[in-house]
Amino acid sequence: RCQLESCRTSSSLGGVQAWTYAYSKGSNLQWHEARQWCQKHFVDMVSIKNKEEAEYLDSFLPHNPTYYWIGVQKVAAKWTWVDTSKPVPVEAQRWASEEPDSLAGQDCVELYIKRAKDSARWNNEKCSKLKEAVCYTASCTQESCSAHGECEEAVGNFTCKCHPGFLGLHCKEAVACKALTDPRQGSHHCVHPNGPNRFNSSCRFHCELGFRLVGVSQLACQGDGQWNHPVPQCEGIMNCSHPISTFSYNSTCEFFCDDGYELAGQNQIRCDHTGQWTAGTPACSGNMVCVDPL
Ligand SMILES: *[C@@H]1O[C@H](CO)[C@@H](O)[C@H](O)[C@H]1NC(C)=O
Ligand SMILES: *[C@@H]1O[C@H](CO)[C@@H](O)[C@H](O)[C@H]1NC(C)=O
Ligand SMILES: *[C@@H]1O[C@H](CO)[C@@H](O)[C@H](O)[C@H]1NC(C)=O
Ligand SMILES: *[C@@H]1O[C@H](CO)[C@@H](O)[C@H](O)[C@H]1NC(C)=O
């Protein structure tokens, strides 16, 4: 006897809430039947968690002379949200004036809609009375949590469980890592799929000619906001000996170039008695490497 005469609408407030409600039409039901109808066709009967929700329903639902059942019921002498089985805190109880009355058996709650007095407020009633059902449907949409989180239904709302590397109410924001600096004698360039120095940014390091990269050449920004390795260093290939003291008379340095580079200049220099190097620092220059064709 319950036709699926439902209307749907959805409303979005501040881009955060995504409520979708449905209601039965022309098939007044007892409280438990109303709840079953909601659970069969939608998610559950609405349980009015805040004022905005009640006022929104008051504007959206058509007038019904016997009003609408909601998902609040007296359980073990306590007014309870039936979807969560949690007692309704006193400050969340939205009773009409002089309600709830203590008449025996008035253990179910209706919502006054488009009533001259106390509209959008609650009244306790006998559960066997006949009223329309007001249900909520899934709030999650594909956009709810961007592409970076799982949407979970909450009453009249949703929450996002973000994937590693993302945060924010909608999981839109990627975790940030500290910006990296060039090593001495080196440079780096990065690819940023999720914004500058954000989760999954990847940076590759290079050293100037003749310098050797020590460490890992490619770093990735991880979900915990840390790069997966320290910044590598570029080490010039130089071997010095200091017979008297560091870089003083008779200190001698020998230079090498990496494979594929040729040393231009003196490969060994010495600090002379005037405090000058016997020659300038040599350079390593790129060289075509010819591979034996045989
Ligand atoms: C809906 O969820 C968002 C984010 O989880 C929260 O900020 C907002 O207050 C919720 N709205 C309601 C009506 O519960
Ligand atoms: C992050 O990188 C991993 C590994 O490369 C990849 O599987 C994943 O799709 C990336 N995710 C995002 C959101 O960039
Ligand atoms: C540096 O010089 C010292 C002394 O001449 C020598 O023992 C050592 O092997 C050299 N190191 C390299 C990397 O050439
Ligand atoms: C400095 O080096 C020169 C040449 O290698 C050597 O003859 C001289 O004895 C050295 N002097 C000292 C104080 O080490």
Side-chain angles (χ1 to χ4, degrees):
R1 102 188 137 97
C2 305
Q3 323 142 325
L4 200 136
E5 267 276 318
S6 71
C7 287
R8 287 155 162 268
T9 189
S10 66
S11 141
S12 179
L13 284 174
V16 174
Q17 291 103 334
W19 304 334
T20 307
Y21 298 102
Y23 58 97
S24 63
K25 201 173 177 185
S27 50
N28 282 298
L29 306 164
Q30 296 188 10
W31 186 91
H32 74 273
E33 296 170 328
R35 185 164 186 218
Q36 278 168 9
W37 187 82
C38 285
Q39 289 175 330
K40 181 167 177 208
H41 300 296
F42 304 99
V43 176
D44 206 339
M45 199 137 77
V46 296
S47 49
I48 316 290
K49 297 270 152 81
N50 56 57
K51 180 163 171 275
E52 289 70 31
E53 193 177 21
E55 287 173 354
Y56 173 70
L57 289 174
D58 193 31
S59 68
F60 155 64
L61 295 172
H63 177 72
N64 178 41
T66 57
Y67 305 110
Y68 292 83
W69 286 125
I70 59 169
V72 178
Q73 195 181 28
K74 194 186 265 183
V75 177
K78 281 191 175 134
W79 295 107
T80 304
W81 276 317
V82 293
D83 58 342
T84 58
S85 302
K86 294 213 170 95
V88 185
V90 176
E91 65 276 11
Q93 298 184 9
R94 304 189 36 77
W95 298 108
S97 41
E98 290 158 46
E99 300 295 345
D101 43 50
S102 50
L103 295 176
Q106 298 208 353
D107 289 347
C108 289
V109 178
E110 69 175 335
L111 180 65
Y112 287 150
I113 292 295
K114 296 192 167 63
R115 190 177 189 259
K117 188 166 177 267
D118 288 329
S119 209
R121 295 200 159 260
W122 302 0
N123 176 38
N124 62 323
E125 272 275 39
K126 274 207 167 92
C127 303
S128 58
K129 293 256 173 107
L130 302 179
K131 304 176 186 300
E132 298 293 6
V134 50
C135 322
Y136 68 90
T137 65
S139 298
C140 288
T141 66
Q142 288 208 306
E143 295 80 46
S144 305
C145 303
S146 318
H148 309 304
E150 303 305 324
C151 190
E152 290 185 357
E153 293 296 336
V155 176
N157 206 348
F158 59 83
T159 55
C160 294
K161 296 271 178 286
C162 299
H163 295 158
F166 290 87
L167 26 95
L169 288 179
H170 300 275
C171 307
K172 272 191 184 144
E173 201 189 322
V175 167
C177 287
K178 277 197 303 196
L180 299 172
T181 51
D182 283 337
R184 277 171 59 87
Q185 325 292 345
S187 60
H188 72 288
H189 77 270
C190 304
V191 199
H192 300 293
N194 302 308
N197 299 304
R198 299 285 172 153
F199 174 59
N200 264 11
S201 283
S202 148
C203 299
R204 189 176 273 283
F205 287 80
H206 299 274
C207 291
E208 288 172 13
L209 294 184
F211 288 83
R212 175 182 285 159
L213 189 132
V214 178
V216 174
S217 65
Q218 188 163 0
L219 270 53
C221 175
Q222 304 177 118
D224 62 0
Q226 302 292 321
W227 296 97
N228 60 347
H229 294 284
V231 171
Q233 301 299 307
C234 294
E235 286 185 359
I237 309 157
M238 179 172 87
N239 190 11
C240 299
S241 64
H242 305 286
I244 298 165
S245 69
T246 313
F247 296 118
S248 63
Y249 177 56
N250 262 9
S251 285
T252 305
C253 295
E254 199 182 351
F255 296 90
F256 308 87
C257 289
D258 254 352
D259 292 349
Y261 297 96
E262 202 165 74
L263 190 119
Q266 298 288 322
N267 72 337
Q268 195 172 15
I269 60 175
R270 189 170 60 87
C271 182
D272 70 15
H273 66 282
T274 66
Q276 305 281 311
W277 292 106
T278 53
T281 320
C284 294
S285 54
N287 223 6
M288 299 304 252
V289 178
C290 296
V291 176
D292 188 339
L294 302 171

